[in-house]
Amino acid sequence: MIIEPIPIRLKDGREAVLRCLTPEEAPALFESFLRCAEETHFLYVDPMDRDKYSVDGERGFLEEYNSSESAALIGCFVDGRLVGTCDITFKTDFKSRHRGGVGIAIQREFWSLGIGTAMLQTLISIARSRQGVTQLELDFIEGNSRARALYEKMGFRICGVIPDAIRLSDGTLLNEYMMILKL
Ligand SMILES: CC(C)(COP(=O)(O)OP(=O)(O)OC[C@H]1O[C@@H](n2cnc3c(N)ncnc32)[C@H](O)[C@@H]1OP(=O)(O)O)[C@@H](O)C(=O)NCCC(=O)NCCS
């Protein structure tokens, strides 16, 4: 899905825009994605998995998102630079097509500026405008208090936990919490 560009104002006064990426912007997506993975252990992707990803892979990924009728990938651009992405995917099978799932990854330099809030407002609005969708789902890793605060502010509630869902390189095991928002 392609969404129309949405201008937003950051907490520091700068202007930004939320918009879909073109396949030609795959190098920026690749760089942003890896940077986010290096800056936090709260994402599933880890720099150790770097070899699984490539600019060509990201280009294909963008083409799939943009041509899909059930998924969208949206970037946040500040002064023309891609600083984070979010995505939404709706299930399409008969029994589960009332469900959507979302994810967000923003570069550390741009945390706490309101981008996550604007992204989630946009994703919720997309879900609300899709016929038959009644719930939105996401997850966060134990300790990610910023993500949890954002999601609870937007009305999401914890509905489940996977104990020891991820294991960090030092052996630390962390739970994954699932959250749901009834639309
Ligand atoms: C988690 C993340 C998506 C939040 O986005 P963000 O743009 O930083 O969040 P916002 O600036 O919109 O802040 C949202 C809320 O978080 C809370 N918050 C902000 N800073 C916080 C902090 N340091 N600690 C705890 N909560 C904080 C506030 O409640 C804030 O709402 P408010 O501005 O109305 O007070 C973003 O920081 C990120 O991408 N982090 C790395 C990757 C990641 O963890 N992704 C989520 C995986 S589940």
Side-chain angles (χ1 to χ4, degrees):
M1 297 189 292
I2 302 281
I3 61 136
E4 289 299 313
I6 300 169
I8 61 170
R9 190 169 289 279
L10 306 188
K11 282 185 181 174
D12 64 3
R14 274 182 290 178
E15 288 180 3
V17 63
L18 300 181
R19 66 163 174 83
C20 293
L21 282 71
T22 65
E24 291 69 38
E25 291 175 308
L29 176 61
F30 184 62
E31 192 188 322
S32 181
F33 166 71
L34 282 183
R35 182 185 291 230
C36 290
E38 282 162 8
E39 291 178 338
T40 179
H41 62 252
F42 292 132
L43 291 171
Y44 262 90
V45 63
D46 188 275
M48 291 295 284
D49 296 319
R50 185 188 183 100
D51 291 349
K52 292 183 182 171
Y53 301 94
S54 66
V55 170
D56 281 345
E58 297 306 296
R59 190 176 296 111
F61 198 53
L62 283 171
E63 284 166 350
E64 275 178 36
Y65 266 105
N66 290 351
S67 61
S68 169
E69 289 184 4
S70 57
L73 187 138
I74 299 165
C76 179
F77 292 82
V78 180
D79 298 327
R81 169 180 157 192
L82 179 65
V83 304
T85 56
C86 62
D87 67 284
I88 185 164
T89 303
F90 297 105
K91 293 188 181 289
T92 53
D93 287 344
F94 182 77
K95 288 178 181 167
S96 54
R97 60 190 181 180
H98 59 292
R99 299 168 58 192
V102 300
I104 302 181
I106 299 164
Q107 295 168 25
R108 181 181 283 267
E109 190 186 335
F110 293 87
W111 289 359
S112 295
L113 290 175
I115 295 173
T117 301
M119 283 179 161
L120 214 42
Q121 284 168 342
T122 300
L123 298 173
I124 291 170
S125 158
I126 291 171
R128 287 210 163 108
S129 65
R130 186 176 170 96
Q131 181 138 19
V133 173
T134 56
Q135 66 188 53
L136 215 43
E137 301 164 21
L138 52 74
D139 50 60
F140 73 90
I141 301 296
E142 180 182 348
N144 196 352
S145 53
R146 190 188 313 271
R148 180 176 179 170
L150 166 62
Y151 302 152
E152 287 182 339
K153 178 178 83 164
M154 303 305 290
F156 284 83
R157 293 294 170 256
I158 289 175
C159 60
V161 57
I162 300 180
D164 299 343
I166 68 166
R167 189 173 60 230
L168 304 182
S169 53
D170 66 359
T172 306
L173 289 160
L174 296 173
N175 297 344
E176 174 190 298
Y177 293 92
M178 290 162 277
M179 300 187 90
I180 186 168
L181 174 70
K182 287 288 185 181
L183 298 172

